[in-house]
Amino acid sequence: MPVLGHTQYGKAEVRVVRLFRDTDPHGIADHNVSVALSGDFADTHLSGDNSRVLTTDAIKNTVNAFAKEHGDAARTPEMFGLVLARHFTELPQVARARVNLETYPWRRLDAGGVPHPHAFARDGSHVRTTTVTRTADDAEWVVSGIRGLTVLKTTDSEFHGFLTERYTTLAPTDDRVMATEVTAQWWHGTLPDDPDAAHVAVLDALTSAFAGHHSLALQQTLFAMGSAALTAVPGIGEIRLSLPNKHHFLVDLSPFGLDNPGEVFHADDRPYGLIEATVRRDDTPDPGDAFDPGQGW
Amino acid sequence: MPVLGHTQYGKAEVRVVRLFRDTDPHGIADHNVSVALSGDFADTHLSGDNSRVLTTDAIKNTVNAFAKEHGDAARTPEMFGLVLARHFTELPQVARARVNLETYPWRRLDAGGVPHPHAFARDGSHVRTTTVTRTADDAEWVVSGIRGLTVLKTTDSEFHGFLTERYTTLAPTDDRVMATEVTAQWWHGTLPDDPDAAHVAVLDALTSAFAGHHSLALQQTLFAMGSAALTAVPGIGEIRLSLPNKHHFLVDLSPFGLDNPGEVFHADDRPYGLIEATVRRDDTPDPGDAFDPGQGW
Amino acid sequence: MPVLGHTQYGKAEVRVVRLFRDTDPHGIADHNVSVALSGDFADTHLSGDNSRVLTTDAIKNTVNAFAKEHGDAARTPEMFGLVLARHFTELPQVARARVNLETYPWRRLDAGGVPHPHAFARDGSHVRTTTVTRTADDAEWVVSGIRGLTVLKTTDSEFHGFLTERYTTLAPTDDRVMATEVTAQWWHGTLPDDPDAAHVAVLDALTSAFAGHHSLALQQTLFAMGSAALTAVPGIGEIRLSLPNKHHFLVDLSPFGLDNPGEVFHADDRPYGLIEATVRRDDTPDPGDAFDPGQGW
Amino acid sequence: MPVLGHTQYGKAEVRVVRLFRDTDPHGIADHNVSVALSGDFADTHLSGDNSRVLTTDAIKNTVNAFAKEHGDAARTPEMFGLVLARHFTELPQVARARVNLETYPWRRLDAGGVPHPHAFARDGSHVRTTTVTRTADDAEWVVSGIRGLTVLKTTDSEFHGFLTERYTTLAPTDDRVMATEVTAQWWHGTLPDDPDAAHVAVLDALTSAFAGHHSLALQQTLFAMGSAALTAVPGIGEIRLSLPNKHHFLVDLSPFGLDNPGEVFHADDRPYGLIEATVRRDDTPDPGDAFDPGQGW
């Protein structure tokens, strides 16, 4: 007999933009909010009895209404996620609520050389991510993060001393280009008072470490980056990094009688190395349900 | 002190196309292969000592070489994933190998009204997915799946009797359009002798159930689809479905003096409902490491 | 002094789905409609005097209302585009109206082995495209087309005898894989009575020619495909084809002691060859404004 | 009889990264180069006689070799495009060469609070575009541009006084959000001595005008932006702008007893208004072949 296992449902990708226009300069908070609820929802699956189902449309309405009612919280994805998760877990049938937010950074535009109070440009260098999870018995986790941050170093990267076997043809190198697109998520064991400042601190720590680290392997740089983040924000319990090695291959120009001392590269699309790891404090507790596996459970 | 937690690394998205040209008609197997290895790899992270590191370049070479050496296995993603996972776990430092494959279906092209033996067109209706996971102590899991299959029903879908609260404005309906893009993964408790035939059987069960089920909720349809898959292929232990509700909103044409009895719809991009659940047999064991959470662990 | 040159404006990407539910089996027409109007619209640009501006919101409403009012026409993108273009050119300030449609093919789903009257799956093999252009002085052009059709041949493709110069390193070949993703647009000098049948006829001609042609160059295959389309549908005046050469590189397995007689290939993303040309009848008149350059003019 | 019309062919999307590492700080030029050649190439289409065909592989090699040999030119897409176009038109069979470049801006990363000499982050706010076209009889055109620049203003935008007819339902407004993603191309009647400085000047002019302009219509803002660009860089003959109106709809919160004075918006995906126009100097000559229609001719 087929039986129902884990379930979750909700409204995904509510694009809500909250403006703050009471005083100059205006402010903007631009979120893409997804809510997933788990709990006593078997009936709707098994018999189509929807009496416990909070419609996904109502979930969307709640996100929009809360952007108004909880305007201050809406400025910051961590706070907005918390106020939403706390609301949804008030429903008795909800055992767990998870709120995922993508937040798009904007910077002020200049007009006539000074920042204009009402105009913005998207800062496309990265997307800010947040996952807030809360259970009916008051366990709460906040995970912040980024994705899409593309960085490159032109030197200070080596890779040698690796295993050689039948299928190994890679030539060792003591000088290569290293580029990656950073996806990182960090769990706040203790939520910072100022999540925006903490976010900037982690971003700086990650990029600073990437830039300054003399790399013997992308794995090693990952650990340096993760460690730097933990050092920069003591409230972070663990950080998970996913770093694709965006290969830049030195082009062989010898058929054309040209040398190529690290000058001309082909930036390849696929395949790419993919290096992933968790860096944590030795005394950090288990993160429980903090991280969203992204596979619907 | 920062410490290293879970790690995995490998080569992602190796686009390998294996042709079978010995006899007519020719055959084609078109895969996008990603390999992730976990194990005794702390040194490369902590000190840049790469002596245990099998280069991701060698991983890529292995995939290509195996497509030649294990040509028969390469015809079927489940078998190709198995032969690769078994190979990588032979390395003593590898505790777990996970192989993810996307396989692109092709159909034969006609020329002059008959199937041409050497020409193909991509069947864009879905992508076939496979995850093979194997540990050093011989635990092995095979998960098959699909993504991207977009289906729609013009009627036979109702949604009413749901919870109403402050933020609920949705009007109940006994006749609506229901559309979704199916992502499904199923774990073979027992691997089928013919994975291709099993794949077709699951695809048919899913689409047949979607089409024939009189739906009182997408959640209910999900359970019907999952149950149908389990019935069609007894070796499947559990199936995980992720179904976005791709909203088709009835357009209000009354400002133009027109009625609209279920004829003209706006197909909205975002937001969308997202319904996810696992359907399993009551006696299926825990799937262990079968499913890839997709978050690098 | 800056002056205004060409202008056009409208609503882009109206996702309208028209269902036909009066009788079984139900029918579906799924379009993405973009309308661009040119004419006497300088005032809105120069002074913000919008008195001649038909709002883009009204353009969207018109598309939806016409899907209801002109339901039969809405079944076929050529006819739907014509009825819309004729409507917009009735506005005296409109000198030219251009309607672009993407139409998504659906096929019926089976349930219990027979086609279900109410259920569909997206046929992802290609997207059907249409451009209808009409001027205030009654010139009218209809262009049909496809994009996204990915095809591949495993043999019957050669490439040799090409120019060699300083930067030429390619080895000639008498047997290679050839794959492309077809974008094609054809102008109907005479509109067919049955655009759907004509569309199928062109699709068959293109794929048949691709499959059956013994290719000495992708350029030569392009001309064969274009010629086949003109032969299949005499009303077509000219066809424009854009064929990327989606390179499949034979992988060198010799470092692993393996040969590779046309069996294992790497499907590369970028760069790719891009072959484009027009094939026309020697007596076809100039296509005038038939083809949308896609650059806003 | 089918005959051949316009043809062009080449290698598209060569991802070439040129590093400048001789002195600190290092420099980077990151291009995506596409070359299209037209001319005496009928034979390859008609008979598969490839004797005049410069292989697309050689075209790719030329791009890479020139990145080395013409390193200074490779710093700037306009110069790199010129040196490539001039080279390809030396081939007698080439009547016209067109080089399209996408150039990805990078900014220096800090480490320890100061810019690191070897580390960069992608500036994702826009992509720089360039089209260089040259004919065998020495006509030459250089077009610079941007795409992907997303900007928003929270006020200073009105839209009223528009035409009303049967399908018009839009409510006039004297205060709305206006957001767009700027695609712009400008033809240099006279090539600037410093293309990078000119590029910055145009970018600033466009964003400054967007921010500072009190808009009565997006069309009006477009003209203001175009005019500002022409003023900022006198060598520009004309500029073509394509501005989607990325609708931000005020959410109706009244069902929840909440007002919404321009605070909470839904950022909609589709449909969107699309406003396109050319702004030119009254004495600018015809741009001839400057602009790439993007449709393969």
Side-chain angles (χ1 to χ4, degrees):
Chain A
M1 275 292 293
V3 296
L4 195 59
H6 174 79
T7 78
Q8 62 183 55
Y9 88 101
K11 191 70 100 189
E13 301 207 62
V14 181
R15 284 290 284 111
V16 59
V17 178
R18 180 37 152 119
L19 299 187
F20 302 91
R21 306 201 315 160
D22 291 342
T23 58
D24 272 2
H26 290 178
I28 178 169
D30 187 3
H31 305 294
N32 189 22
V33 184
S34 301
V35 177
L37 308 179
S38 300
D40 183 10
F41 294 107
D43 287 352
T44 174
H45 286 273
L46 299 178
S47 66
D49 172 350
N50 300 316
S51 51
R52 285 194 188 78
V53 175
L54 176 68
T55 65
T56 67
D57 187 69
I59 293 172
K60 175 200 76 183
N61 291 339
T62 309
V63 172
N64 287 327
F66 272 38
K68 167 61 181 177
E69 293 183 287
H70 300 271
D72 271 353
R75 291 179 186 270
T76 314
E78 289 84 355
M79 309 316 299
F80 196 37
L82 274 169
V83 74
L84 285 165
R86 288 167 182 168
H87 167 80
F88 291 117
T89 48
E90 286 172 3
L91 264 178
Q93 56 268 49
V94 173
R96 189 189 83 188
R98 176 169 279 148
V99 184
N100 275 303
L101 303 92
E102 294 187 331
T103 300
Y104 308 107
W106 292 83
R107 55 175 182 79
R108 294 190 186 283
L109 272 185
D110 288 351
V114 289
H116 196 283
H118 308 143
F120 300 84
R122 271 282 285 262
D123 169 359
S125 67
H126 69 281
V127 174
R128 180 171 172 177
T129 63
T130 309
T131 303
V132 175
T133 311
R134 181 180 161 84
T135 67
D137 52 8
D138 295 334
E140 212 167 62
W141 298 270
V142 178
V143 168
S144 301
I146 59 165
R147 64 171 179 77
L149 177 68
T150 301
V151 291
L152 176 149
K153 39 203 294 175
T154 55
T155 186
D156 301 323
S157 172
E158 315 182 27
F159 190 56
H160 47 74
F162 40 78
L163 180 75
T164 57
E165 42 78 80
R166 180 183 176 200
Y167 301 100
T168 303
T169 57
L170 188 71
T173 178
D174 61 7
D175 189 22
R176 64 173 186 175
V177 170
M178 194 165 77
T180 187
E181 187 178 315
V182 183
T183 298
Q185 298 182 74
W186 49 94
W187 169 46
H188 300 280
T190 309
L191 189 64
D193 295 326
D194 185 342
D196 289 338
H199 192 85
V200 170
V202 174
L203 214 48
D204 285 351
L206 292 175
T207 53
S208 231
F210 175 83
H213 181 251
H214 186 89
S215 177
L216 302 178
L218 182 49
Q219 285 88 327
Q220 192 198 25
T221 299
L222 181 156
F223 187 75
M225 292 169 70
S227 301
L230 295 183
T231 301
V233 181
I236 292 174
E238 74 175 59
I239 178 168
R240 299 184 174 190
L241 286 139
S242 181
L243 302 181
N245 195 338
K246 295 169 68 71
H247 300 306
H248 284 64
F249 295 121
L250 195 67
V251 181
D252 178 12
L253 299 175
S254 57
F256 322 114
L258 300 169
D259 70 338
N260 186 7
E263 295 180 316
V264 180
F265 296 83
H266 165 67
D268 210 29
D269 292 317
R270 301 186 288 181
Y272 48 91
L274 185 57
I275 313 298
E276 303 180 292
T278 298
V279 185
R280 57 200 327 271
R281 296 180 202 284
D282 49 9
D283 60 354
T284 294
D286 190 275
D289 262 2
F291 293 89
D292 182 356
Q295 291 290 331
W297 73 87
Chain B
M1 275 294 290
V3 297
L4 196 59
H6 174 79
T7 78
Q8 60 183 57
Y9 88 101
K11 192 71 99 187
E13 301 209 62
V14 181
R15 284 290 284 113
V16 59
V17 179
R18 179 37 151 119
L19 299 187
F20 301 91
R21 306 201 315 159
D22 292 342
T23 59
D24 272 0
H26 291 177
I28 178 170
D30 187 5
H31 306 294
N32 189 23
V33 185
S34 301
V35 176
L37 307 179
S38 300
D40 182 10
F41 294 107
D43 288 354
T44 174
H45 286 274
L46 300 178
S47 67
D49 172 350
N50 300 317
S51 51
R52 286 196 189 77
V53 174
L54 175 68
T55 65
T56 68
D57 187 70
I59 292 173
K60 173 200 77 183
N61 291 339
T62 309
V63 172
N64 288 327
F66 272 40
K68 166 61 179 176
E69 291 183 289
H70 301 270
D72 271 353
R75 291 178 184 271
T76 313
E78 289 84 355
M79 308 316 299
F80 196 36
L82 274 170
V83 72
L84 284 166
R86 288 168 180 166
H87 167 80
F88 290 117
T89 48
E90 285 171 3
L91 264 178
Q93 57 267 49
V94 173
R96 189 189 83 185
R98 176 168 280 149
V99 183
N100 276 303
L101 303 92
E102 295 189 329
T103 301
Y104 307 108
W106 292 82
R107 56 176 180 78
R108 295 190 187 283
L109 272 185
D110 287 351
V114 288
H116 196 281
H118 308 144
F120 300 84
R122 270 281 285 261
D123 169 357
S125 68
H126 70 280
V127 173
R128 179 171 173 178
T129 63
T130 309
T131 303
V132 175
T133 311
R134 180 180 161 82
T135 67
D137 52 10
D138 297 333
E140 213 168 62
W141 300 268
V142 178
V143 169
S144 303
I146 58 165
R147 63 170 180 77
L149 178 67
T150 302
V151 291
L152 176 151
K153 39 202 294 175
T154 55
T155 187
D156 301 322
S157 172
E158 315 183 27
F159 189 57
H160 46 73
F162 41 77
L163 180 75
T164 57
E165 42 78 82
R166 181 184 174 199
Y167 301 100
T168 304
T169 58
L170 189 71
T173 178
D174 59 7
D175 189 22
R176 66 174 184 175
V177 169
M178 195 166 77
T180 187
E181 187 178 316
V182 182
T183 298
Q185 298 182 74
W186 48 93
W187 169 47
H188 300 280
T190 310
L191 189 64
D193 294 327
D194 185 343
D196 289 339
H199 192 85
V200 170
V202 174
L203 213 49
D204 285 351
L206 292 175
T207 53
S208 230
F210 175 82
H213 181 251
H214 186 86
S215 176
L216 300 180
L218 183 48
Q219 284 88 326
Q220 193 199 23
T221 299
L222 181 156
F223 187 75
M225 292 168 70
S227 303
L230 294 183
T231 300
V233 181
I236 292 175
E238 75 175 57
I239 177 167
R240 299 184 174 190
L241 285 139
S242 181
L243 302 181
N245 195 338
K246 296 169 68 70
H247 300 305
H248 285 64
F249 295 121
L250 196 67
V251 181
D252 179 11
L253 298 175
S254 57
F256 321 113
L258 300 169
D259 69 338
N260 186 6
E263 295 180 314
V264 180
F265 295 83
H266 166 66
D268 210 30
D269 292 316
R270 299 185 288 181
Y272 48 92
L274 185 56
I275 314 296
E276 303 179 292
T278 297
V279 185
R280 55 200 326 270
R281 295 179 203 287
D282 49 8
D283 59 355
T284 293
D286 190 275
D289 263 0
F291 292 90
D292 183 353
Q295 293 289 331
W297 75 87
Chain C
M1 275 294 292
V3 298
L4 196 60
H6 173 79
T7 79
Q8 62 183 57
Y9 89 101
K11 191 71 98 187
E13 300 210 60
V14 181
R15 285 290 285 111
V16 59
V17 178
R18 184 32 155 121
L19 300 186
F20 302 91
R21 308 204 310 162
D22 293 341
T23 57
D24 272 359
H26 290 177
I28 177 169
D30 187 3
H31 305 294
N32 189 24
V33 185
S34 301
V35 177
L37 307 179
S38 300
D40 183 10
F41 294 107
D43 289 352
T44 173
H45 287 274
L46 299 178
S47 65
D49 172 351
N50 299 317
S51 52
R52 286 194 188 78
V53 174
L54 175 68
T55 65
T56 67
D57 187 67
I59 293 172
K60 174 200 75 181
N61 291 339
T62 309
V63 172
N64 287 327
F66 272 38
K68 166 62 180 177
E69 292 183 286
H70 301 271
D72 271 352
R75 291 178 184 269
T76 314
E78 290 82 356
M79 308 315 299
F80 196 37
L82 275 170
V83 72
L84 284 166
R86 288 167 182 168
H87 167 81
F88 290 117
T89 48
E90 285 172 5
L91 265 178
Q93 58 267 52
V94 173
R96 189 190 81 186
R98 175 169 280 150
V99 184
N100 276 302
L101 303 92
E102 294 187 330
T103 300
Y104 308 107
W106 292 82
R107 55 175 181 79
R108 295 190 187 282
L109 272 185
D110 287 351
V114 289
H116 195 282
H118 307 145
F120 301 84
R122 272 284 282 260
D123 169 358
S125 67
H126 69 281
V127 174
R128 180 172 173 177
T129 63
T130 308
T131 303
V132 175
T133 311
R134 181 181 161 82
T135 68
D137 51 10
D138 296 334
E140 212 167 63
W141 299 269
V142 177
V143 168
S144 302
I146 58 166
R147 64 169 180 78
L149 177 68
T150 302
V151 291
L152 175 150
K153 39 203 295 175
T154 54
T155 187
D156 301 324
S157 173
E158 316 181 27
F159 190 57
H160 46 74
F162 41 76
L163 179 77
T164 57
E165 42 78 81
R166 179 184 176 198
Y167 301 101
T168 303
T169 57
L170 187 72
T173 177
D174 60 7
D175 190 20
R176 64 173 186 175
V177 169
M178 194 166 78
T180 186
E181 186 179 316
V182 183
T183 297
Q185 298 182 75
W186 49 93
W187 168 49
H188 300 279
T190 309
L191 189 65
D193 295 327
D194 186 343
D196 289 338
H199 192 86
V200 170
V202 174
L203 215 49
D204 285 350
L206 292 175
T207 53
S208 232
F210 174 83
H213 182 249
H214 186 86
S215 177
L216 302 178
L218 182 48
Q219 285 88 327
Q220 191 197 26
T221 299
L222 182 155
F223 187 75
M225 293 168 70
S227 302
L230 295 183
T231 301
V233 181
I236 293 175
E238 73 176 58
I239 177 167
R240 301 183 173 189
L241 285 138
S242 181
L243 302 181
N245 195 338
K246 295 169 68 70
H247 301 305
H248 284 64
F249 295 121
L250 195 67
V251 181
D252 178 12
L253 299 176
S254 56
F256 322 113
L258 300 170
D259 70 337
N260 186 6
E263 295 182 314
V264 180
F265 296 82
H266 166 66
D268 209 30
D269 292 317
R270 299 185 290 181
Y272 48 92
L274 185 57
I275 313 298
E276 303 181 292
T278 297
V279 185
R280 56 201 324 270
R281 296 179 201 286
D282 50 6
D283 60 355
T284 293
D286 189 276
D289 264 0
F291 293 89
D292 182 356
Q295 292 289 333
W297 74 89
Chain D
M1 275 294 292
V3 297
L4 196 58
H6 173 79
T7 78
Q8 62 184 55
Y9 88 101
K11 191 70 99 188
E13 300 208 61
V14 181
R15 283 290 285 113
V16 58
V17 178
R18 180 37 152 120
L19 299 187
F20 302 91
R21 306 203 313 161
D22 292 342
T23 58
D24 270 1
H26 290 177
I28 177 170
D30 186 4
H31 305 297
N32 189 23
V33 185
S34 301
V35 176
L37 307 180
S38 300
D40 183 8
F41 293 107
D43 288 352
T44 174
H45 285 273
L46 300 179
S47 66
D49 172 350
N50 299 318
S51 51
R52 286 196 188 78
V53 174
L54 175 68
T55 66
T56 68
D57 187 68
I59 293 173
K60 173 201 76 182
N61 291 340
T62 309
V63 172
N64 288 328
F66 273 38
K68 165 62 180 175
E69 292 182 288
H70 301 270
D72 272 353
R75 292 179 183 271
T76 313
E78 290 83 356
M79 308 316 298
F80 196 36
L82 275 170
V83 74
L84 284 166
R86 289 168 179 166
H87 167 81
F88 290 117
T89 48
E90 286 172 2
L91 263 179
Q93 57 268 50
V94 173
R96 189 190 82 185
R98 175 170 280 151
V99 184
N100 275 302
L101 303 91
E102 294 188 332
T103 300
Y104 308 108
W106 292 82
R107 55 175 182 80
R108 294 190 187 283
L109 272 185
D110 287 351
V114 289
H116 195 282
H118 308 144
F120 300 84
R122 270 282 285 263
D123 169 358
S125 67
H126 70 280
V127 174
R128 180 172 172 176
T129 64
T130 309
T131 303
V132 175
T133 312
R134 181 180 162 82
T135 68
D137 53 10
D138 296 333
E140 213 168 62
W141 299 270
V142 178
V143 168
S144 301
I146 59 166
R147 64 169 179 79
L149 177 68
T150 301
V151 290
L152 176 151
K153 38 203 295 175
T154 55
T155 186
D156 301 323
S157 172
E158 315 183 27
F159 190 57
H160 46 74
F162 42 76
L163 180 75
T164 58
E165 42 77 83
R166 178 183 175 199
Y167 301 100
T168 303
T169 57
L170 188 71
T173 178
D174 60 7
D175 190 21
R176 64 173 185 176
V177 169
M178 194 166 77
T180 187
E181 187 179 314
V182 183
T183 298
Q185 298 182 74
W186 49 94
W187 169 46
H188 300 281
T190 309
L191 190 64
D193 296 326
D194 184 343
D196 289 338
H199 192 85
V200 170
V202 175
L203 215 48
D204 285 351
L206 292 175
T207 53
S208 231
F210 175 83
H213 182 252
H214 186 87
S215 176
L216 301 179
L218 182 49
Q219 285 87 328
Q220 193 198 25
T221 299
L222 180 156
F223 187 75
M225 292 168 69
S227 303
L230 294 183
T231 301
V233 181
I236 292 174
E238 75 175 56
I239 178 169
R240 300 183 174 191
L241 285 137
S242 181
L243 302 181
N245 195 338
K246 295 169 69 69
H247 300 306
H248 284 64
F249 295 120
L250 196 67
V251 182
D252 179 11
L253 298 175
S254 57
F256 322 113
L258 300 168
D259 70 337
N260 185 6
E263 295 180 315
V264 180
F265 295 82
H266 165 66
D268 210 28
D269 292 316
R270 299 185 289 182
Y272 47 93
L274 185 57
I275 314 297
E276 303 179 293
T278 297
V279 185
R280 57 201 324 272
R281 295 181 201 286
D282 49 8
D283 58 355
T284 293
D286 190 277
D289 263 357
F291 293 90
D292 182 355
Q295 291 290 330
W297 72 88

